Amino acid sequence: MKVMLTIKCGRCKNKVLRYKKIGQGRVLRCYFSRIKKIFAPVEEGKLKCPSCGNVIGEKDNGFFKMNRDEFTYSGRKINK
Ligand SMILES: [Zn+2]
């Protein structure tokens, strides 16, 4: 199952990422290769909300390790 997710800041609801997720389960990591759009700046390895500066995730080797209490998401199934 593939889902196109819109990930938003948990505090101010600003968009942070558009992400293609494969499989079910929680969003723990966002792999760079599946990020379709990034709305947020990455400063010193931290993915920050462009509006309030909330730290949504941290850069790791090939992915962002997501801070699960700091974001919300919604999505829809896609076929490709
Ligand atoms: Zn925010």
Side-chain angles (χ1 to χ4, degrees), residues 1-5 19-29 31 34 73 75-80:
M1 190 182 83
K2 296 173 188 168
V3 185
M4 187 60 70
L5 296 180
Y19 184 68
K20 185 171 157 185
K21 186 175 190 309
I22 298 174
Q24 293 181 327
R26 285 182 177 157
V27 178
L28 302 175
R29 294 175 172 182
Y31 292 90
R34 296 190 209 145
Y73 58 89
R76 60 184 172 82
K77 287 183 185 176
I78 54 171
N79 293 317
K80 55 185 177 181

Side-chain angles (χ1 to χ4, degrees), residues 8-16 48-56 70:
K8 296 180 178 179
C9 174
R11 283 190 202 159
C12 74
K13 310 302 178 197
N14 209 90
K15 285 181 195 170
V16 176
K48 291 185 178 180
C49 172
S51 179
C52 75
N54 191 17
V55 177
I56 310 293
E70 303 300 341

